[in-house]
Amino acid sequence: EVQLVETGGGLIQPGGSLRLSCAASGFTVSSDYMSWVRQAPGKGLEWISVVYSGGSTYHVDSVKGRFTISRDTSKNMLYLQMNSLRAEDTAVYYCAKGGMDVWGKGTTVTVSS
Amino acid sequence: DVVMTQSPLSLPVTLGQPASISCRSSQSLVHSDGNTYLSWFQQRPGQSPRRLIYKVSNRDSGVPDRFSGSESGTDFTLKISRVEAEDVGVYYCMQGTHWPRTFGQGTKVEIK
């Protein structure tokens, strides 16, 4: 069964850093592009980052320079390193496979003092 | 960035009746490979999004055939032929042709 499980969320102060992880099973993370999508409380979906099967990455402007997506094919894991966190980064963060046919349950990040 | 505009944003429906959600893109979603990458997602209360439709009109595995997708140029439509109680939730369109991927604002479907 193809599955994604996100971990690493929590309460963090503004300006802090956090690394989210996404464990994949049933497929290899390098076989398709992998994305992070977030959803602020009561709001819609916002795609933020992708790592292509070839390894190159792309980030939306609102997180560019602060967030970094990466993967570890030996562990079959996807990551999102988040630095210089702001209150507006508060959201549930989902990882998703390829054309978003598979999503994890999400992990909650709260940025607050 | 491509702007995806959904309407209506709220859709009260009667059980057993049809429902329709529209999504308009600010530019063509026809990819250089000839495909149109427009997807529809359902997000039930308290759950992760679930893809229902990909490439405009293809249903994902396990999606009931009461869900259908269509297009007319840059206008896309998700139709539910007969709404059931389990269809309550928020529906999003998303374009997968251009980077960054962009979603519509969401349409909340509720039972009257």
Side-chain angles (χ1 to χ4, degrees):
Chain A
E1 181 191 5
V2 176
Q3 194 174 6
L4 296 168
V5 179
E6 304 94 335
T7 56
L11 174 63
I12 187 77
Q13 292 189 336
S17 297
L18 210 55
R19 188 178 83 155
L20 306 184
S21 300
C22 171
S25 57
F27 74 104
T28 56
V29 293
S30 58
S31 65
D32 205 344
Y33 63 89
M34 297 289 296
S35 296
W36 285 97
V37 178
R38 68 183 179 183
Q39 186 170 35
K43 302 296 185 182
L45 301 169
E46 179 188 24
W47 176 91
I48 55 172
S49 300
V50 65
V51 55
Y52 298 99
S53 55
S56 55
T57 62
Y58 181 94
H59 300 273
V60 71
D61 285 348
S62 59
V63 307
K64 201 172 291 184
R66 301 187 301 123
F67 290 11
T68 303
I69 188 172
S70 64
R71 69 186 183 200
D72 185 333
T73 53
S74 67
K75 296 180 180 178
N76 214 28
M77 297 283 291
L78 178 73
Y79 302 102
L80 186 68
Q81 177 66 44
M82 304 187 296
N83 299 328
S84 303
L85 281 161
R86 307 166 179 167
E88 55 265 35
D89 296 319
T90 293
V92 176
Y93 285 74
Y94 299 100
C95 60
K97 170 184 170 290
M100 300 190 195
D101 56 329
V102 180
W103 296 63
K105 294 189 183 304
T107 186
T108 300
V109 173
T110 303
V111 184
S112 174
S113 54
Chain B
D1 298 357
V2 178
V3 177
M4 305 298 289
T5 304
Q6 284 184 232
S7 62
L9 300 185
S10 178
L11 184 57
V13 295
T14 301
L15 288 173
Q17 293 300 302
S20 181
I21 301 170
S22 295
C23 175
R24 174 170 291 176
S25 61
S26 62
Q27 57 186 270
S28 173
L29 300 185
V30 180
H31 194 274
S32 56
D33 65 8
N35 290 306
T36 299
Y37 293 97
L38 186 284
S39 299
W40 289 97
F41 297 85
Q42 174 195 62
Q43 188 174 31
R44 292 170 170 155
Q47 295 187 11
S48 306
R50 166 200 182 195
R51 196 178 71 179
L52 300 175
I53 302 280
Y54 63 97
K55 286 195 286 186
V56 179
S57 59
N58 296 274
R59 274 190 304 276
D60 273 278
S61 175
V63 175
D65 60 7
R66 64 178 181 274
F67 290 93
S68 64
S70 62
E71 70 171 311
S72 176
T74 57
D75 292 333
F76 302 89
T77 302
L78 176 70
K79 290 184 179 176
I80 310 174
S81 59
R82 294 174 305 279
V83 172
E84 298 189 6
E86 65 179 18
D87 300 335
V88 165
V90 181
Y91 292 78
Y92 297 91
C93 61
M94 185 204 79
Q95 64 84 16
T97 297
H98 306 281
W99 295 103
R101 304 302 195 227
T102 46
F103 292 89
Q105 316 97 299
T107 295
K108 186 173 185 178
V109 172
E110 57 184 9
I111 304 300
K112 282 183 184 176

